[in-house]
Amino acid sequence: MELQAIQPKIFQIRNQSVILDNDLAELYQVPTKRINEAVKRNQNRFPVDFMFQLTNEEWRILKSQNATASWGGRRTLPYCFTEHGILMLSSVLKSDLAAQVNIAIMRAFVAMRQHALNYEALATALKTLENSTNHRFAEVSKVLNALLKQKQQQENQHNRRRIGFKQGNQ
């Protein structure tokens, strides 16, 4: 299974990377109902930091952000599985396909974390460059202002009305 097929199914909800139950069911090639049944039979294995159910508002926002997706009709709000929840799900769904899919999903989570770290490093480097550049431009600006002030003083000195005796043809 390719990472490109998994990564679009990973959402940021409640500051966590999660995959919805129906997307997991699609990846595992089982009905969503089977995933939820397996979780209900093993509730002690799925604490709230492994899996949680969306609120009505979260579900509405998620659907509006993904208008092109075909979510189908649901009677219940979807469950979200964190990375740890997906690992636990693999121990509940015992099949070769489930193991292969879980390996691919874990690789997708790792790849996304790596991209996030690279992005943070790039953002930090850009901020450092921006601060350095701003400091240099501030210094260049000071020098230019001093030169302009000096030039203005020289022009004022040259154009001033001279006082004293006039030498001329007498």
Side-chain angles (χ1 to χ4, degrees):
M1 178 159 292
E2 294 187 25
L3 295 180
Q4 293 82 3
I6 298 170
Q7 287 178 331
K9 297 178 185 308
I10 300 175
F11 297 100
Q12 285 295 316
I13 301 174
R14 299 182 193 174
N15 294 321
Q16 297 184 65
S17 296
V18 298
I19 299 181
L20 299 178
D21 57 1
N22 58 320
D23 288 333
L24 283 171
E26 180 184 321
L27 293 170
Y28 290 128
Q29 298 177 7
V30 298
T32 305
K33 177 177 153 181
R34 175 143 184 255
I35 301 263
N36 293 332
E37 286 172 350
V39 169
K40 284 180 185 170
R41 283 193 306 267
N42 299 281
Q43 283 183 343
N44 60 331
R45 293 182 178 214
F46 294 94
V48 294
D49 57 326
F50 283 27
M51 180 195 87
F52 57 88
Q53 192 168 25
L54 290 180
T55 64
N56 282 323
E57 181 65 13
E58 289 169 332
W59 179 233
R60 184 189 62 75
I61 291 169
L62 189 62
K63 282 195 303 185
S64 70
Q65 288 176 351
N66 297 286
T68 58
S70 59
W71 297 96
R74 291 190 69 123
R75 292 184 185 164
T76 60
L77 294 169
Y79 288 97
C80 296
F81 290 83
T82 65
E83 186 173 353
H84 294 104
I86 294 166
L87 280 171
M88 187 59 68
L89 194 57
S90 71
S91 70
V92 174
L93 299 174
K94 297 176 183 175
S95 73
D96 289 337
L97 179 62
Q100 292 171 357
V101 169
N102 259 38
I103 290 169
I105 291 172
M106 292 306 111
R107 287 181 176 151
F109 273 103
V110 168
M112 288 186 70
R113 266 197 303 278
Q114 187 61 45
H115 287 301
L117 289 174
N118 290 344
Y119 176 79
E120 287 177 24
L122 180 60
T124 302
L126 285 174
K127 189 66 174 172
T128 302
L129 179 63
E130 180 184 8
N131 290 340
S132 171
T133 304
N134 287 345
H135 179 70
R136 288 183 184 144
F137 277 124
E139 288 189 12
V140 168
S141 178
K142 285 180 189 176
V143 169
L144 288 175
N145 285 336
L147 288 173
L148 288 172
K149 186 176 180 182
Q150 182 181 7
K151 182 168 173 79
Q152 185 65 42
Q153 286 174 345
Q154 287 173 350
E155 285 179 9
N156 289 346
Q157 182 73 16
H158 181 70
N159 294 335
R160 69 180 167 87
R161 185 170 179 249
R162 307 234 182 247
I163 57 172
F165 295 105
K166 289 186 180 181
Q167 291 180 344
N169 300 346
Q170 295 183 352

